[in-house]
Amino acid sequence: MKGLSVSKAVTALMLAGLVLLPLYSQLSGNIFILTLFTRIIILALAAASLNLIMGFGGMMSFGHAAYLGIGGYAVGMLAQEGLGSGFIQFPVALAASAIYALVIGALSLRTRGVYFIMITLAFAQMAYYVASGLARYGGDDGLTIYNRSDFSGLINLGNRVQFYYLCLACLFGVVFLIWRIVNSRFGLVVQGLRSNEQRMQAIGFPAKRYKLVCFVISGTMCGLAGALLANNTDFVSPAVMYWTRSGDLMVMVILGGMGTLFGPIMGAVVFLLLEEFLSQITEYWALIMGPLLLLIVLFGRGGIMGVLGRAGRG
Amino acid sequence: MLLVVEQFLNGLQFGLLLFLLAAGLTLVFGIMDLVNLAHGSLYMMGAYFAATFAAWTGSFLLGALMALGATLVLGIVLEVTALRHLYGRDHLDHVLATFGLILFFNEAVRLIWGPAGLALPLPAWLTVPVPILPGIHYPAYRLAIIAVALLVALLLYLGVMRTRIGMLIRAGASNREMIGALGINIKLLYTLVFGLGAALAGLAGLMQAPILTVQIGMGENILILAFVIIVIGGIGSIRGAFLAAIFVGMIDTLGRAFLPNLLRQVLSGAAASTAAPALSSMLIYLLMAIVLVVRPEGLFPANRR
């Protein structure tokens, strides 16, 4: 019981901190921290979406960054063509990610284990090369977005605080949705498939269809993160889809605690803050970050959430 | 005709180089069940060691030999200090831990050698063009790579198929508890296999170094190619890795060389020159996707050898 309360307390503190952050930023005049945390929240959203299939569904996608790119390019390309309305851009970004996830998922789910990791990686690399070849939209150099998505006065994405709260609302919405999915009949079937696919199939569940739907939901959520990310940086480039980016997302999920609701958020916050903090101490921050990841794997089973749980139990 | 022969040999050379990398990767994966993303870092270290030692000793061959030894030692140190604690853990743990190692190696290289790349100049006797067919010359160094890689492939094949250690390696790949129960020092065997894999990666890196610049992150692109190869060939299968590596090397090289012209026959010039680079980079991923869809276990699964 005590173990539960420690991780719950830390989670609640973190969420409260995220909600109150703009207030602190205004009072202290520290604008940088708001920009930094906007990025953290967007990537936390991406990590949460990956956790849905990886943590709950047992599908280790190593190509999740592709959706960041697809969502981002949907916004960027439409903006380039003069369609600046967010009411067009965001639905297109979500639909494009969903369609990509449907095609990729239908092919990838024929395999399992390491093969699944590799084939999702391969498809993401393909998306990377396609984006590099889009000469009209910047090719290798990427595409600058001159106007952020326009929500006709409803919300102003150019306003830092409003944009921050939009991202935070999206994150909370996605986490709520994941919570509902995981506890629904559908979610229980998917989790059952993770533990024993043969048995579930014997009971009569069409395994592949359930996994595919879950895969598509996850990809669509990550596409939302991509659309937000493009608005945040006013820029989108193939580099967003490079395979090490997918690795970063995986690291966030595992670091925070795979298969827990708030673990990926915790992982994103800790990973990106650590990166920021270490890069201020030394130019060679990765020299510390790398071995740190190794140590976390060796000694910190279950990620931060797991460690907090054990700390609570003493 | 000249171009076709030349590109064909380039493809063969690239494929054989990829085989060295993929062989180490598939040995480690097939036997120890370890997903080692840091394999590309060992390739990079091989290249950096070679460039450094060659500059010290003033001899290309001596530098290459020392670099080979250095990557072998580095691999053993890595296995003993970090990776041996990961056996039997989830594949995801491997991915995370070795991803951390990539960060570490890239940064360590930046610290030691600086951000700019290095060059590894070739000795004069390796830069001469060699006549291979009447009227067709091919660089001696690329021929040397083909020869060395073929020799290593042969030794590897004989070593794995004909020697006692090779027998233990194969036994370990199919049933690790059994060979431990037979009283074999499995820890030592694993360390040796990992060292061998590291040395193969180092060899690939040092041989590629004079052709490309030695630079940070050079292992990452090629690592993905190596993964593509072992997935196409069937994980854990050396024979599969060999055939798939040649195939991928050929397709990649020939695609880059001839696809633009082929596309120009069907598309307009502008469209062709836009699509060709993207399409030729995608070719092998497309190939892998097709193979996995048709045969999810790869073309030559290890358990059927």
Side-chain angles (χ1 to χ4, degrees):
Chain A
M1 276 318 284
K2 226 177 126 207
L4 229 81
S5 63
V6 171
S7 53
K8 266 191 180 160
V10 174
T11 308
L13 257 172
M14 177 186 70
L15 296 180
L18 290 179
V19 173
L20 295 175
L21 191 93
L23 199 68
Y24 167 79
S25 159
Q26 300 253 295
L27 288 176
S28 65
N30 187 345
I31 298 170
F32 170 70
I33 196 167
L34 196 61
T35 322
L36 173 67
F37 267 87
T38 309
R39 187 165 158 263
I40 291 179
I41 285 173
I42 295 171
L43 290 173
L45 171 51
S49 76
L50 175 60
N51 182 45
L52 173 64
I53 52 170
M54 201 164 85
F56 295 110
M59 294 172 263
M60 302 168 199
S61 160
F62 205 154
H64 235 57
Y67 306 103
L68 283 181
I70 289 169
Y73 268 100
V75 169
M77 286 156 93
L78 287 173
Q80 176 94 338
E81 302 300 338
L83 283 165
S85 168
F87 295 116
I88 298 173
Q89 288 177 351
F90 273 69
V92 169
L94 295 185
S97 312
I99 292 168
Y100 177 78
L102 186 67
V103 175
I104 301 313
L107 293 173
S108 309
L109 284 171
R110 295 173 56 90
T111 64
R112 60 193 65 234
V114 185
Y115 288 95
F116 183 80
I117 299 184
M118 288 303 139
I119 195 168
T120 47
L121 175 65
F123 280 121
Q125 284 295 99
M126 278 198 244
Y128 169 84
Y129 288 117
V130 169
S132 305
L134 291 172
R136 183 180 165 81
Y137 301 105
D140 267 334
D141 301 327
L143 176 63
T144 304
I145 298 166
Y146 294 100
N147 291 305
R148 290 190 175 180
S149 304
D150 171 31
F151 283 97
S152 37
L154 204 66
I155 184 166
N156 178 8
L157 267 52
N159 179 310
R160 281 175 210 277
V161 177
Q162 283 188 31
F163 184 55
Y164 178 89
Y165 277 119
L166 173 71
C167 295
L168 194 62
C170 288
L171 175 63
F172 284 171
V174 158
V175 171
F176 176 72
L177 205 61
I178 291 175
W179 178 66
R180 290 299 300 262
I181 291 171
V182 168
N183 291 303
S184 68
R185 181 178 170 279
F186 167 79
L188 291 175
V189 172
V190 171
Q191 290 172 77
L193 287 169
R194 183 194 56 194
S195 331
N196 194 333
E197 188 162 334
Q198 261 181 330
R199 189 172 296 173
M200 294 302 284
Q201 228 153 4
I203 305 172
F205 289 108
K208 209 184 137 188
R209 210 177 307 160
Y210 273 88
K211 283 170 124 177
L212 184 58
V213 172
C214 194
F215 193 86
V216 171
I217 294 172
S218 166
T220 313
M221 286 173 172
C222 198
L224 172 65
L228 291 171
L229 193 65
N231 271 298
N232 186 43
T233 40
D234 301 313
F235 178 71
V236 58
S237 77
V240 172
M241 292 190 253
Y242 196 59
W243 72 274
T244 51
R245 263 315 183 86
S246 302
D248 285 342
L249 290 182
M250 258 190 173
V251 167
M252 288 174 204
V253 174
I254 303 167
L255 180 65
M258 200 168 67
T260 62
L261 205 52
F262 293 101
I265 305 177
M266 191 86 78
V269 170
V270 171
F271 181 79
L272 293 166
L273 280 186
L274 210 60
E275 187 180 300
E276 188 61 39
F277 172 70
L278 289 176
S279 65
Q280 276 173 14
I281 306 178
T282 165
E283 188 191 337
Y284 304 104
W285 59 272
L287 213 53
I288 308 170
M289 187 71 140
L292 208 59
L293 286 180
L294 192 68
L295 289 177
I296 289 168
V297 173
L298 289 179
F299 301 110
R301 286 203 180 192
I304 298 171
M305 284 303 199
V307 171
L308 287 178
R310 281 198 293 279
R313 277 191 288 279
Chain B
M1 179 58 198
L2 176 79
L3 189 67
V4 174
V5 172
E6 198 179 313
Q7 292 299 340
F8 198 75
L9 282 171
N10 281 347
L12 182 68
Q13 178 250 307
F14 186 48
L16 283 168
L17 201 81
L18 287 174
F19 165 70
L20 293 182
L21 206 61
L25 203 59
T26 204
L27 267 181
V28 168
F29 187 85
I31 292 159
M32 307 187 239
D33 199 28
L34 179 82
V35 181
N36 180 20
L37 291 187
H39 199 68
S41 297
L42 293 164
Y43 164 89
M44 174 179 74
M45 294 310 290
Y48 269 95
F49 283 146
T52 310
F53 291 141
W56 275 358
T57 58
S59 153
F60 176 80
L61 275 186
L62 210 56
L65 277 177
M66 285 166 74
L68 203 56
T71 35
L72 177 75
V73 172
L74 180 67
I76 288 175
V77 169
L78 205 59
E79 199 272 346
V80 172
T81 53
L83 296 175
R84 73 163 38 162
H85 308 287
L86 291 170
Y87 300 147
R89 300 274 288 265
D90 198 71
H91 283 156
L92 266 187
D93 283 355
H94 303 165
V95 169
L96 184 59
T98 52
F99 192 74
L101 286 176
I102 293 182
L103 290 180
F104 174 78
F105 275 111
N106 281 345
E107 211 67 358
V109 165
R110 201 192 315 276
L111 187 68
I112 298 170
W113 282 281
L118 296 180
L120 175 53
L122 280 174
W125 56 273
L126 274 175
T127 51
V128 287
V130 178
I132 40 170
L133 284 173
I136 298 178
H137 292 259
Y138 195 69
Y141 182 64
R142 286 182 184 258
L143 285 177
I145 293 184
I146 294 177
V148 169
L150 278 176
L151 184 69
V152 170
L154 184 69
L155 287 178
L156 204 60
Y157 176 79
L158 291 177
V160 170
M161 289 311 196
R162 296 275 184 273
T163 65
R164 191 177 139 74
I165 291 219
M167 183 186 76
L168 293 177
I169 287 177
R170 278 179 293 144
S174 25
N175 191 333
R176 67 184 75 199
E177 282 85 25
M178 187 58 80
I179 105 153
L182 288 173
I184 307 300
N185 186 344
I186 196 148
K187 263 188 162 173
L188 184 67
L189 183 68
Y190 276 21
T191 307
L192 285 179
V193 171
F194 193 85
L196 175 66
L200 287 173
L203 179 63
L206 72 90
M207 290 205 304
Q208 186 73 322
I211 297 178
L212 301 169
T213 329
V214 181
Q215 57 188 356
I216 296 162
M218 63 187 280
E220 280 149 34
N221 284 320
I222 205 157
L223 170 75
I224 299 296
L225 283 183
F227 267 118
V228 168
I229 285 164
I230 68 171
V231 166
I232 290 179
I235 289 174
S237 156
I238 299 260
R239 190 171 65 110
F242 184 75
L243 296 173
I246 306 266
F247 199 41
V248 165
M250 287 286 179
I251 290 212
D252 194 60
T253 308
L254 297 182
R256 275 172 216 282
F258 299 115
L259 203 63
N261 277 327
L262 277 178
L263 280 181
R264 221 160 277 143
Q265 315 259 312
V266 276
L267 292 173
S268 73
S273 53
T274 324
L279 196 61
S280 51
S281 312
M282 275 170 60
L283 268 184
I284 54 154
Y285 296 103
L286 223 50
L287 175 75
M288 166 169 152
I290 293 168
V291 167
L292 280 184
V293 167
V294 180
R295 298 191 58 166
E297 295 291 295
L299 292 179
F300 310 94
N303 49 12
R304 265 184 243 156
R305 75 194 143 181

